Amino acid sequence: MLFEVLRSTIRGLIDRVRYRTLSREELDRILSDTLLELVAADVAYEVAESIVESVRGSLVGVRVERGSDVGQLVVNTLRSRLLELVDRGSIDIVGAVRAKCSRGEPYVIVFFGVNGVGKTTTIAKVAYMLKANGVTPVLAAADTFRAGAQEQLEVHASKLGVPIIKGRYGSDPASVAHDAIEYARARRLCAVLVDTAGRMHVDYDLMGEMRKIVRVSKPDLRVLVVDALTGGDAVEQARRFNEEVGVDAVIVAKVDADVKGGSIISVTSVTGKPVIYLGVGQGYEDLKPFNPVEHVDTILGLKH
Ligand code: GDP
């Protein structure tokens, strides 16, 4: 089941504190078990600590009256803490695209992400979503090193019926982004979606290349795509891209296969940046706007 490890951790915590008055030692033991379980559910350690401490804070010193509902107290505490962690605002991409387009300029989104996370598929999904809203984007295949990357994006472009600008093998990725923006301007297209390289080799300066693409294309939005199934790696990538290039928003892919559940909380907590969409399958329509309240209620078992 989706997010099962995280959900059962939270359920277990609520059940263990619910029905009786706990000694300090018992509470300590329960909370330290919970901390480890949260980490096993892909919640970053410092984030797991902050969740556990909020529960401790709400329970310590509370006089438990006979018949009072401690479970409800813990649920309320967790609900507000988790919401603080995942609700980092939202971005209305379609609205922003339309606003910029009405000023005669294309809205530029650059997508970052390590190979394999689902970046190309996500770009295709965003292109599909824009088209469904009456906006035809142009794709920029700015990973000029990996031949497969250009072909893969081209397949999507032709299925979706949207134009694509490619570069010669080995050409400057920033110039491909630049050409795509010029193409959009000349044809009055409202959005440019820039695909970028994602190889993580020690001898290759990925972050330098990303900074150059950003410098040249001056994007309206820098989107990082991470893979929900990679847990700690997703958090590390988010931290690194945010520090070295700057990230405005995150899309978490492969959420449909995520049984652990902690990646989303961790990525938003560590970067402070909003998750705007979730990838929930391999089809073009499998892109779901992220709803923080719905997400937290799912984790708490308040929504199925
Ligand atoms: P890239 O290397 O980051 O561009 O990754 P791709 O877009 O090629 O995706 C890698 C694999 O993940 C492909 O098999 C995709 O179909 C799959 N994928 C991407 N997004 C999702 C998603 O949201 N859910 C699922 N189940 N698979 C996905």
Side-chain angles (χ1 to χ4, degrees):
M1 193 207 249
L2 199 59
F3 310 145
E4 182 51 30
V5 181
L6 182 54
R7 291 172 63 157
S8 68
T9 298
I10 299 287
R11 209 161 46 232
L13 169 63
I14 294 166
D15 286 347
R16 288 174 76 185
V17 299
R18 168 161 261 162
Y19 294 112
R20 53 200 193 86
T21 311
L22 299 165
S23 68
R24 180 66 75 107
E25 291 70 30
E26 284 171 318
L27 181 61
D28 281 348
R29 196 165 50 249
I30 291 170
L31 293 181
S32 69
D33 289 352
T34 302
L35 176 66
L36 296 180
E37 287 167 25
L38 287 171
V39 170
D42 277 347
V43 178
Y45 192 88
E46 75 255 36
V47 180
E49 261 184 331
S50 90
I51 294 171
V52 162
E53 286 317 312
S54 71
V55 173
R56 189 194 306 281
S58 75
L59 287 178
V60 168
V62 170
R63 274 173 58 93
V64 180
E65 306 294 332
R66 191 183 292 273
S68 72
D69 194 344
V70 181
Q72 193 56 46
L73 175 68
V74 174
V75 168
N76 293 345
T77 303
L78 283 169
R79 194 161 190 269
S80 60
R81 183 75 196 114
L82 292 174
L83 263 176
E84 274 169 18
L85 293 173
V86 296
D87 190 356
R88 306 288 173 161
S90 62
I91 295 171
D92 170 16
I93 291 186
V94 174
V97 166
R98 288 199 178 121
K100 184 128 192 247
C101 202
S102 70
R103 301 196 296 272
E105 277 291 305
Y107 188 86
V108 179
I109 309 179
V110 173
F111 293 82
F112 312 121
V114 169
N115 282 345
V117 295
K119 175 162 43 74
T120 314
T121 309
T122 300
I123 293 170
K125 289 174 179 176
V126 172
Y128 174 86
M129 182 274 291
L130 287 172
K131 267 204 95 175
N133 282 280
V135 175
T136 299
V138 53
L139 309 187
D143 179 356
T144 55
F145 184 78
R146 198 166 64 91
Q150 302 239 335
E151 282 159 21
Q152 201 186 342
L153 200 63
E154 197 165 22
V155 170
H156 289 304
S158 82
K159 278 195 197 155
L160 291 163
V162 301
I164 178 169
I165 302 299
K166 298 184 293 174
R168 267 179 300 101
Y169 177 80
S171 64
D172 182 359
S175 79
V176 178
H178 177 264
D179 290 351
I181 294 167
E182 288 306 313
Y183 179 95
R185 281 202 182 110
R187 285 166 185 75
R188 300 201 164 281
L189 296 175
C190 288
V192 181
L193 309 182
V194 182
D195 186 19
T196 62
R199 54 193 179 281
M200 295 292 268
H201 292 168
V202 278
D203 56 349
Y204 164 67
D205 181 13
L206 177 67
M207 297 301 164
E209 181 173 314
M210 296 305 112
R211 279 193 293 270
K212 183 168 181 200
I213 291 175
V214 166
R215 221 165 36 241
V216 170
S217 62
K218 299 186 184 60
D220 298 282
L221 195 65
R222 297 162 298 178
V223 172
L224 177 70
V225 182
V226 297
D227 175 344
L229 308 182
T230 62
D233 279 350
V235 174
E236 241 350 275
Q237 288 157 17
R239 197 195 305 268
R240 199 152 165 234
F241 275 93
N242 191 36
E243 281 170 8
E244 297 204 32
V245 194
V247 166
D248 302 308
V250 180
I251 295 180
V252 183
K254 308 188 197 175
V255 171
D256 52 304
D258 182 10
V259 287
K260 290 193 175 177
S263 293
I264 295 169
I265 299 170
S266 306
V267 166
T268 51
S269 308
V270 167
T271 61
K273 298 299 160 72
V275 167
I276 50 172
Y277 285 100
L278 305 179
V280 293
Q282 306 200 30
Y284 291 144
E285 70 287 358
D286 294 327
L287 186 72
K288 197 172 155 242
F290 178 65
N291 179 331
V293 172
E294 189 184 300
H295 183 67
V296 168
D297 286 350
T298 302
I299 289 169
L300 290 173
L302 303 173
K303 185 175 183 307
H304 297 282

